[in-house]
Amino acid sequence: MIKSMTGYGKANLSKNLREYQIEIKSVNHRYLDISVKMPRTLSYLEEDIKKVVSSKVKRGKIDVFVTFENNSTEGKDIKINTEIAKIYINELKKLAKQENILSNIEVTEISKYPDVLSIKTTQDDDAIKQEVIEVTDMAVDRLINMRQIEGKKMVEDLLARIDVIIGKIKEISSLSTGLIEEYVVKLEGRIKEILKNQEIDQARLAQEVVIYADKCSIQEEVTRLDSHISQFENLLNSDEAVGKKLDFIIQEMNRETNTIGSKANNLEITNGVIDIKTEIENIREQVQNIE
């Protein structure tokens, strides 16, 4: 089943006190364009995230938002700079002596001074990478599920419009056949008026009819139009990204319809052509949002 290019997917993952959230939004685009916004600590994983997305999504403007919170104690090392702490203590004692105040120095207070206490973190890049890939994969699947639901609705609408076009083509074909018969009757009547009682040259009459039939015949266009419609319907059942192919077929359908319109010598045929072109335009707008 075809997929819409519009969708949203979100997934959360919690492992070893590490919290991840991935949000993916997609809209229509001619090609695949992936943008990732993530914390600097995970920036080395941008290409891995893009690979996960591109392995399952073929077209669309994709925005990926990554949230990461590491509450794990793994790889965290607390360091106390004793030399700087001693300097603070000595200077505070000097100040207390000079100002004749109590030098009740608390260790916890000293630890709050700049550069005394530092926390160094070394994260497990491989473990985090696997976890990010896992949660990204979950979010992409949910995005695809929404795109498939939207795609199903689009297919129903497109098939309904195709049915309208097929009905109009049958009407136009029937009217076109009748035009030739009408032309033969009118031509014979005109010739009789001109020739009065003279005998009509049947060979010449047949020749004129053939020339007229060739000029106004839309059989070739109708045949090609039927073929394009068949291809269009087959592609709607494809699991591949067929948006570009559908767009091309719609252009061809529009071209054949224009040719039929240029050959029309009847108001009803012209109106039928307008109806077909209206449906084709509506289909074209829908196709722009198909992956």
Side-chain angles (χ1 to χ4, degrees), residues 6 20 38 71 80 86 111 113 153 158 174 180 190 205 208 238 273 277:
T6 303
Y20 305 88
M38 61 199 309
N71 298 313
I80 298 177
K86 287 177 182 179
S111 68
Y113 294 145
K153 294 178 182 177
L158 292 172
S174 177
I180 298 174
R190 197 178 308 148
L205 177 62
E208 289 294 331
S238 175
V273 167
K277 287 176 67 65

Side-chain angles (χ1 to χ4, degrees), residues 235-284:
L235 286 174
L236 290 181
N237 294 316
S238 175
D239 291 327
E240 300 177 1
V242 296
K244 290 182 180 179
K245 291 181 180 179
L246 291 173
D247 189 46
F248 174 76
I249 292 174
I250 284 297
Q251 292 179 41
E252 293 302 306
M253 288 173 63
N254 193 57
R255 183 176 293 112
E256 299 300 340
T257 303
N258 284 335
T259 303
I260 292 173
S262 67
K263 291 183 175 182
N265 290 318
N266 178 279
L267 181 59
E268 289 183 78
I269 292 178
T270 300
N271 289 335
V273 167
I274 292 173
D275 291 338
I276 292 175
K277 287 176 67 65
T278 299
E279 292 300 332
I280 287 176
E281 180 59 25
N282 290 330
I283 292 173
R284 190 192 66 79

